[in-house]
Amino acid sequence: MLRYIVGRLLAAVPIFALVGIFIFSLVHLMPGDPAVLLAGDNANPKQVEKIRERLHLDQPVIVQFGIWAGNALQLDLGDSVYSNQPVTKLIAQRIEPTMMLAVVTLVITVLIAVPLGVIAAWRANGLADRLIMAFAVLGFSLPVFVIGYLLVYVFAVRLKWFPVQGYKPLEDGVLATLHSLTLPSVALALVFAALIARVTRASMLEALNENYTRTARAKGLGTFRILVVHALKSAGVPVITVIGIGFATLVGGVVVTESVFNIPGIGRLTVDAITRRDYPVVQGVILFFSALLILINLLVDLSYALFDPRVKG
């Protein structure tokens, strides 16, 4: 088990290094001189040169990467060209809304998708199965911003149950935060749940046809125990895998959702930085999201040992 954990940790190192190289290359892949683009059309040569020195663009590329990577390892992602504030500070200021949105969405998704997938497998080819799969297809078909606008129109504009936009921080109370995040979380969860429900159904159908499940039925065990204790635990590995992989979709949806619901999170920070050509912020945010995704996938790999006894390293 220990060897398995160490192996997964070491495997994440080269992945993170490749991600770092790609993120660093973003500035140099842009057409034109980055310093000129950052300075703007009305900047004089002295201002352009000052930005070039500030971002170390006057150094060889390998030296630039060494400086950038060394600073990144020390959690120094540079300063914003637009606000002159440290990028890590800007991310720290916006991290609460994004993380709360992601956590609430993930909880809602699991509470919706896993039971629906289990029921669909239990009632395979029946009415319940067809309705659940229709929901899954609909969730795949509708973009998250369309679902968001529909929820806003029905539950915010017409029924006035939830706010149209905005975010209440945790210091205002957990209930206030959850109330402000209900609509954006449900909008994201409906898309995410469609994927997990389909995978849960497929995994459960396979598990329900295994010999140990048939033995449990022959012993007269109850339906709930057969579905949850025996079949669902066996089907947990692919479900956990798709949750980890689907987290990338969730992160991408956060950018759109935060713009639709005017949530001051990292997604909004990314959109603003791209609009202003604030490359240090863009690099820092992408690096943050990449590190988060690598961490999530690492935790998913480590969780296999809990669900699959064959994973011992």
Side-chain angles (χ1 to χ4, degrees):
M1 179 65 180
L2 179 60
R3 186 172 63 180
Y4 175 78
I5 295 176
V6 173
R8 291 301 180 182
L9 290 173
L10 293 177
V13 174
I15 296 175
F16 193 75
L18 291 175
V19 169
I21 293 173
F22 172 75
I23 294 173
F24 169 78
S25 303
L26 286 177
V27 173
H28 299 276
L29 293 175
M30 291 295 207
D33 188 343
V36 174
L37 294 174
L38 291 171
D41 298 333
N42 299 323
N44 55 52
K46 186 176 180 180
Q47 292 174 322
V48 173
E49 188 62 28
K50 186 176 180 181
I51 291 178
R52 184 174 286 109
E53 293 177 0
R54 176 182 171 187
L55 299 179
H56 307 288
L57 296 176
D58 56 339
Q59 302 289 333
V61 175
I62 189 66
V63 176
Q64 294 179 39
F65 177 74
I67 295 173
W68 180 83
N71 292 336
L73 289 175
Q74 302 176 51
L75 301 181
D76 180 6
L77 302 178
D79 297 333
S80 167
V81 176
Y82 181 78
S83 64
N84 291 321
Q85 293 186 351
V87 175
T88 51
K89 181 180 179 181
L90 294 176
I91 293 176
Q93 291 174 345
R94 304 289 191 99
I95 195 171
E96 181 190 307
T98 298
M99 289 298 99
M100 286 300 301
L101 177 60
V103 169
V104 174
T105 299
L106 193 60
V107 171
I108 295 176
T109 299
V110 172
L111 292 178
I112 293 176
V114 174
L116 288 181
V118 172
I119 294 172
W122 180 39
R123 298 297 187 184
N125 300 320
L127 178 61
D129 181 23
R130 294 175 182 175
L131 290 176
I132 292 172
M133 288 303 98
F135 159 77
V137 172
L138 185 62
F140 274 126
S141 304
L142 291 177
V144 63
F145 68 89
V146 173
I147 298 176
Y149 283 127
L150 288 175
L151 292 176
V152 167
Y153 177 75
V154 175
F155 295 101
V157 176
R158 304 293 297 181
L159 299 177
K160 302 185 184 302
W161 289 356
F162 301 99
V164 175
Q165 58 184 8
Y167 170 76
K168 294 290 185 180
L170 286 173
E171 62 183 18
D172 292 345
V174 176
L175 292 180
T177 301
L178 295 177
H179 185 255
S180 65
L181 289 177
T182 299
L183 292 185
S185 297
V186 171
L188 273 174
L190 290 178
V191 176
F192 198 22
L195 173 63
I196 298 179
R198 290 176 67 92
V199 173
T200 302
R201 176 186 181 274
S203 300
M204 286 291 296
L205 283 176
E206 183 178 350
L208 290 173
N209 290 323
E210 294 290 342
N211 290 332
Y212 61 84
T213 307
R214 296 172 182 171
T215 303
R217 288 198 191 99
K219 289 182 178 180
L221 297 181
T223 302
F224 178 82
R225 188 171 181 181
I226 293 174
L227 291 175
V228 177
V229 177
H230 294 276
L232 184 57
K233 185 176 180 180
S234 176
V237 171
V239 174
I240 292 295
T241 301
V242 79
I243 289 176
I245 296 174
F247 192 80
T249 306
L250 177 61
V251 170
V254 164
V255 177
V256 178
T257 306
E258 287 183 356
S259 299
V260 172
F261 290 93
N262 194 26
I263 298 175
I266 299 178
R268 284 289 304 280
L269 178 64
T270 306
V271 173
D272 294 341
I274 293 174
T275 303
R276 298 164 179 167
R277 295 179 178 177
D278 198 341
Y279 293 127
V281 175
V282 174
Q283 286 180 312
V285 169
I286 296 177
L287 184 63
F288 169 79
F289 277 135
S290 301
L292 184 62
L293 292 177
I294 292 174
L295 176 62
I296 292 295
N297 288 324
L298 178 61
L299 293 176
V300 169
D301 287 343
L302 297 180
S303 70
Y304 289 165
L306 299 176
F307 291 91
D308 193 343
R310 295 170 295 179
V311 181
K312 297 296 183 182

